[in-house]
Amino acid sequence: MNDILIEQLITSHLLKFPNIDQKRITKPNVNYTPPVTGVWLRVFVKSTVNKVASVTVEPCVIENGLLIIQVFDRENNGTGVVKVFASALAGHFNCKQLGSLNLWAATINDVGLDGNGFYQFNISVPYEFLN
């Protein structure tokens, strides 16, 4: 119900990450040409199962979801740069409160080669939004 607001809060927080280049961030269903060098990102905000926290005149709903940030670097560059970047970005989102949005513990997953010439790490951050 608040998907756009949740995405705006997450995007706003992402853009506060030091030295982030907006040209290196893409979203699903958007044509994007990855940069020739350096790390780039794809951001997903996925709703999961919501729950009712309380019922009064209006029900209080907790909207749950998962923030997934895919971090890519070209293959054959090693994993050092992309791993350090993913770790710092995970720390930026780890256990934060952004207004009514609570971000929980971030997890980093080494996905490996994606089959398109990129090495990939995923950052997953569960969230709750109190409506």
Side-chain angles (χ1 to χ4, degrees):
M1 288 42 103
N2 290 296
D3 293 344
I4 293 172
L5 178 56
I6 292 167
E7 189 171 321
Q8 288 171 344
L9 288 167
I10 288 170
T11 300
S12 175
H13 189 66
L14 175 61
L15 295 177
K16 292 177 184 174
F17 187 69
N19 302 317
I20 193 79
D21 182 354
Q22 290 186 41
K23 295 176 189 168
R24 294 181 177 270
I25 304 169
T26 185
K27 294 181 181 179
N29 200 29
V30 175
N31 289 334
Y32 182 76
T33 302
V36 176
T37 61
V39 173
W40 61 280
L41 313 171
R42 184 180 298 134
V43 179
F44 295 91
V45 179
K46 301 284 186 182
S47 297
T48 58
V49 178
N50 297 338
K51 57 188 170 188
V52 176
S54 66
V55 178
T56 57
V57 174
E58 292 288 324
C60 179
V61 175
I62 298 175
E63 297 184 39
N64 295 294
L66 186 64
L67 164 63
I68 301 169
I69 304 174
Q70 297 173 306
V71 184
F72 300 93
D73 195 5
R74 297 222 177 248
E75 66 180 308
N76 295 320
N77 286 337
T79 60
V81 170
V82 68
K83 187 181 291 187
V84 167
F85 187 90
S87 180
L89 191 56
H92 183 70
F93 280 95
N94 194 46
C95 299
K96 298 284 190 256
Q97 184 173 13
L98 310 173
S100 295
L101 180 66
N102 292 314
L103 302 172
W104 302 118
T107 302
I108 301 172
N109 183 23
D110 183 341
V111 177
L113 292 173
D114 72 348
N116 294 312
F118 295 97
Y119 200 90
Q120 177 181 346
F121 278 79
N122 285 354
I123 302 165
S124 301
V125 185
Y127 68 80
E128 288 183 341
F129 183 84
L130 184 58
N131 185 9

